[in-house]
């Protein structure tokens, strides 16, 4: 069902999402697996894709691993909201997204996400991969 000048959600396979993200992102490395993918389209053309995978820290959490949209902030908010609703429908209790420090957070706030404060030292030690990622880039953690 194609509509003019309206962004709408479309289902995506992992291959379609990887192809879209590789086409629009310079340093994109394709993901090998995921829990689900969601996309949005504008005028019959794919305008955004989000890939969600299981969070490494917790088995009951899902993390938005990759997201990119060419349809503006409206598309980002739509993708974040759709991914959160899909994860909740699949039974996940927590949905997590990490946002780099320089990016605006209006899409996450519009989709109903809350910013999480950094955890105190009471948690278990994260894996070496997570420590490396945190040193690589300062990120803000969001939860819905």
């Amino acid at each position: 069902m194609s509509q003019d000048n309206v962004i709408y959600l479309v289902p995506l396979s992992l291959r379609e999402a990887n192809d879209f993200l590789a086409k629009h992102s310079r340093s994109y490395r394709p993901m090998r697996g995921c829990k689900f993918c969601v996309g949005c389209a504008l005028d019959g053309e794919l305008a955004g894709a989000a890939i969600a995978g299981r969070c490494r820290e917790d088995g009951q959490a899902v993390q938005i691993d990759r997201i990119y949209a060419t349809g503006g902030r409206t598309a980002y908010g739509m993708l974040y909201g759709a991914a959160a609703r899909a994860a909740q429908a699949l039974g996940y209790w927590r949905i997590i997204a990490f946002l780099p420090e320089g990016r605006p957070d209006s899409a996450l706030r519009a989709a109903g996400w809350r910013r999480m404060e950094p955890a105190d030292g009471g948690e278990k030690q994260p894996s070496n991969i997570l420590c490396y990622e945190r040193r690589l880039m300062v990120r803000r953690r969001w939860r819905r």
Side-chain angles (χ1 to χ4, degrees):
M1 161 168 131
S2 178
Q3 302 170 354
D4 292 334
N5 295 325
V6 177
I7 297 176
Y8 53 96
L9 294 172
V10 294
L12 285 182
S13 68
L14 179 59
R15 176 172 283 173
E16 292 169 330
N18 275 332
D19 290 345
F20 177 80
L21 291 167
K23 180 180 176 183
H24 291 92
S25 181
R26 283 181 272 148
S27 61
Y28 179 72
R29 290 184 5 217
M31 297 206 40
R32 288 187 253 163
C34 71
K35 286 296 171 186
F36 61 89
C37 300
V38 64
C40 61
L42 175 65
D43 295 332
E45 295 289 324
L46 193 60
I51 301 174
R54 180 165 284 186
C55 184
R56 296 179 190 134
E57 297 171 357
D58 184 7
Q60 286 296 317
V62 69
Q63 178 176 332
I64 308 299
D65 288 323
R66 308 279 194 275
I67 188 166
Y68 188 82
T70 58
R73 285 185 296 182
T74 305
Y76 275 106
M78 181 178 272
L79 288 172
Y80 277 120
R85 290 189 303 273
Q88 287 172 344
L90 289 171
Y92 289 101
W93 291 29
R94 292 187 311 143
I95 301 96
I96 300 169
F98 289 101
L99 193 65
E101 192 64 38
R103 283 224 176 122
D105 54 5
S106 57
L108 284 163
R109 283 186 283 122
W113 291 62
R114 296 184 321 263
R115 184 171 178 182
M116 302 302 294
E117 295 302 320
D120 295 334
E123 295 183 4
K124 66 179 184 177
Q125 279 287 36
S127 67
N128 289 339
I129 296 171
L130 288 176
C131 288
Y132 176 73
E133 287 179 355
R134 287 185 182 137
R135 280 194 309 259
L136 203 64
M137 160 176 53
V138 176
R139 304 179 301 173
R140 296 169 297 183
R141 184 176 181 162
W142 290 78
R143 179 178 173 191
R144 178 159 175 201

